[in-house]
Amino acid sequence: MAEIEGASEEAFTWPSGVRAAVSMTFDDGRASQLELGLPILDEHGIKATFYVLPRCFDGAGAAAWRGVAEAGHEIGNHTVRHPCSGNYGFARPQALESYTLEQMGAELDDAQRIIAERVGVTPTSFAYPCGQRFVGRGESVQSYVPVVARRFGFARAWRDESANDPAFCDFAQLFGVDFDRLTVDELRPWVETAVEQGHWLVLGGHDVAASPRRQAVLAETLAWVCELGGRDAGVWVDTLSNVGQYVREQRGEVVAA
C-alpha cells in the first residue's frame, strides 16, 4: 500500500477516513485502455472514467465498451469529431475556430444519443477535447462552457496546474492534470499536495503503456494510483461523476440526474 504523509484540516468534509480524492480519466476510447488499463483497474477494484468517441464502437467496440460500463466504470462524452484548434494539423477539418455554439451543442447531443444507443448509458460528464473551451476566432470567440454546463453535471479540462478545491471548483470546467508519461515519483507530489490541502485531483490520460511513450499513462503509475484507493492512504479513488456527486451534495447543490 502506497503511503502519503500528512494532511491539514479543511472546511470541506470528505467521507470518514478520506483526506483527498483522485479521479482517473482517459480520453478517446483507445484500444490500450481496454487491453492494458482495464485489467489493472479491475485487479485493484478501482473505477475510472472513459471519455469515448463514437468511432470506438465500430466492429466489436460497442460490446467491449458496454462491458466496461456494466463493470461500473464511467463512460463520458468527448464529442463526435474531437474538435480542437486548427493550429493542430489533425484538427483542421474540425477546427474550433470554424464552429458555432449551435454546432457544438448539436454535436454534443449527437454523441449523447450514439453512446446511449450503443453502450446503454447516458453520460453525465464531458471532457473538453484538447482541454480547449472556445469556438470562433478574434472578436467572435465565445466560450462553449455554458453549452456544456446545460447538458452535463461535470466537465473536465486538461493540462491544468492544480487539483480542485471541492468547496469552490466549477463543475463545468474542473481542472484536469495531464498524467501521460508521469512516473510514480513525478506524480507523487501532486497527490501529496492534494492530501495536504484536502483537494480533488483529476487526472487525464490517453493510452496505457508498459514503457514511456507519447500520450500514454505508464502501467506502473496507474497501478500505484489504484493502490491509493485502499483508504489507508486517506485517498478516495473513484470516477469523476461519483466524486463529483458527493462534492455537490456536500455543497448543498442540486445533483444532476
Side-chain angles (χ1 to χ4, degrees):
M1 175 63 63
E3 291 187 12
I4 302 298
E5 298 294 332
S8 59
E9 290 188 2
E10 299 291 328
F12 184 84
T13 302
W14 290 108
S16 178
V18 172
R19 296 179 289 177
V22 175
S23 294
M24 290 186 286
T25 68
F26 298 86
D27 290 2
D28 306 338
R30 301 187 182 189
S32 64
Q33 296 167 10
L34 296 170
E35 296 164 358
L36 185 56
L38 276 170
I40 296 172
L41 292 165
D42 293 343
E43 177 185 354
H44 292 86
I46 294 296
K47 307 305 180 186
T49 299
F50 295 90
Y51 292 107
V52 297
L53 297 168
R55 64 178 181 237
C56 301
F57 307 143
D58 294 342
W65 287 107
R66 184 180 290 268
V68 172
E70 291 173 348
H73 299 284
E74 179 181 9
I75 304 298
N77 188 312
H78 201 40
T79 73
V80 174
R81 303 175 67 210
H82 200 286
C84 297
S85 170
N87 281 299
Y88 295 118
F90 73 85
R92 192 65 56 84
Q94 63 274 1
L96 285 170
E97 289 85 350
S98 301
Y99 265 66
T100 65
L101 294 180
E102 292 72 23
Q103 286 174 312
M104 183 60 72
E107 180 162 340
L108 296 177
D109 292 342
D110 284 346
Q112 287 289 86
R113 174 183 54 79
I114 295 169
I115 293 170
E117 290 175 353
R118 304 299 300 279
V119 182
V121 298
T122 299
T124 59
S125 74
F126 173 77
Y128 295 93
C130 300
Q132 296 171 326
R133 289 158 272 182
F134 72 93
V135 297
R137 61 169 67 230
E139 294 183 4
S140 297
V141 167
Q142 294 176 283
S143 168
Y144 78 89
V145 171
V147 176
V148 169
R150 287 191 289 271
R151 289 167 168 80
F152 303 95
F154 312 100
R156 191 218 75 205
W158 191 52
R159 286 188 170 172
D160 295 300
E161 298 180 342
S162 173
N164 296 278
D165 182 344
F168 181 84
C169 60
D170 181 356
F171 296 116
Q173 42 185 345
L174 293 164
F175 279 13
V177 172
D178 179 5
F179 79 133
D180 286 334
R181 296 179 63 92
L182 292 187
T183 65
V184 170
D185 286 343
E186 290 170 331
L187 182 58
R188 189 189 305 273
W190 285 95
V191 178
E192 289 176 337
T193 299
V195 170
E196 290 166 1
Q197 297 178 342
H199 285 180
W200 174 19
L201 179 62
V202 177
L203 302 173
H206 294 82
D207 278 303
V208 180
S211 58
R213 63 183 177 85
R214 182 179 178 274
Q215 285 201 335
V217 174
L218 289 168
E220 179 183 17
T221 301
L222 172 57
W224 180 79
V225 178
C226 288
E227 290 171 1
L228 294 173
R231 294 286 180 93
D232 289 346
V235 180
W236 176 20
V237 183
D238 207 341
T239 69
L240 189 88
S241 287
N242 282 348
V243 175
Q245 295 280 19
Y246 176 85
V247 173
R248 294 191 81 138
E249 290 169 357
Q250 289 297 114
R251 282 168 41 167
E253 299 183 11
V254 175
V255 178

